[in-house]
Amino acid sequence: MSQVRPMYNEELIGIHLACAAAANAYAKARLAGHPVVSLVVGKAISGAFLAHGLQANRILAVDDSSVQVQVMSKESNARITRRSLEQLEQSAKTVPSTAYDIRSFQTLGALHKLITDVNASSPLKDDIEKIMKEIDQAIDDSRLGKNHNLQNRLTSKEAVAGGRKASLEVRKRLNEQWN
């Protein structure tokens, strides 16, 4: 009898359906005007971050080298793109969407705030209080906002300044052609 790979059983029994249901619930809550806030304190990875974290209308993250946003591991990315790890590292310097660090992710416009001077791996009482204050402010900011469809990720100063420049240009050209 062959050994079953990790996650095979989870996929078989429907983890994808559970993630889809969660994403739907967050989106419905957000679109109904309820504040949905995500906090990234470690590695935000793949489908879990897509289903849970990216559905928030405000995403906060701790500014720490251990905090990352990953679609997949670097090794998997290298295999799929048929690049070496060195080539991926080089690409990450100029293409923020291929990088893993939280500061590169910030340039894409989805991050509401990067919380500085907090110990991500061993937060102290002051760190926790600071994070709770930032969460409260994000909730208040979300309630004030009229935009619950995540459009703010394309209009943020980071997105406009360059992180989403190509995406914005494509949207502009498509709009011109279709309208």
Side-chain angles (χ1 to χ4, degrees):
M1 188 166 179
S2 65
Q3 187 174 6
V4 178
R5 295 175 312 202
M7 294 300 294
Y8 176 80
N9 288 333
E10 288 84 352
E11 292 292 334
L12 189 64
I13 61 172
I15 194 171
H16 60 291
L17 297 173
C19 284
N24 185 45
Y26 294 128
K28 280 185 175 181
R30 177 177 36 79
L31 291 170
H34 300 286
V36 180
V37 177
S38 294
L39 175 64
V40 182
V41 297
K43 291 183 179 178
I45 301 175
S46 194
F49 185 57
L50 291 171
H52 302 288
L54 279 177
Q55 293 305 316
N57 43 356
R58 299 295 182 270
I59 301 173
L60 307 173
V62 175
D63 185 8
D64 187 276
S65 61
S66 67
V67 177
Q68 299 177 353
V69 174
Q70 318 178 356
V71 173
M72 63 183 74
S73 71
K74 288 182 184 179
E75 292 77 14
S76 297
N77 191 340
R79 275 193 309 273
I80 288 172
T81 61
R82 297 183 182 185
R83 295 180 179 175
S84 67
L85 290 174
E86 294 78 26
Q87 289 172 317
L88 287 176
E89 292 292 333
Q90 195 63 30
S91 174
K93 292 176 183 176
T94 57
V95 184
S97 61
T98 63
Y100 287 75
D101 65 290
I102 197 64
R103 287 183 175 246
S104 293
F105 182 71
Q106 182 182 26
T107 68
L108 298 174
L111 198 58
H112 177 68
K113 186 161 189 181
L114 197 56
I115 305 170
T116 59
D117 302 319
V118 171
N119 185 333
S121 56
S122 297
L124 301 173
K125 182 181 179 187
D126 289 346
D127 295 332
I128 294 168
E129 288 174 3
K130 183 176 186 176
I131 289 171
M132 293 305 295
K133 182 179 175 186
E134 293 292 350
I135 291 171
D136 289 342
Q137 288 176 351
I139 289 169
D140 291 343
D141 184 70
S142 177
R143 286 186 174 137
L144 292 174
K146 296 177 185 169
N147 189 344
H148 301 293
N149 65 4
L150 307 181
Q151 188 69 23
N152 58 320
R153 295 182 185 176
L154 293 173
T155 58
S156 69
K157 64 181 179 180
E158 292 84 7
V160 173
R164 291 282 183 192
K165 203 172 200 174
S167 295
L168 293 169
E169 182 63 23
V170 167
R171 286 171 180 260
K172 177 184 165 212
R173 289 183 186 189
L174 284 172
N175 192 41
E176 288 169 356
Q177 290 177 14
W178 290 352
N179 294 318

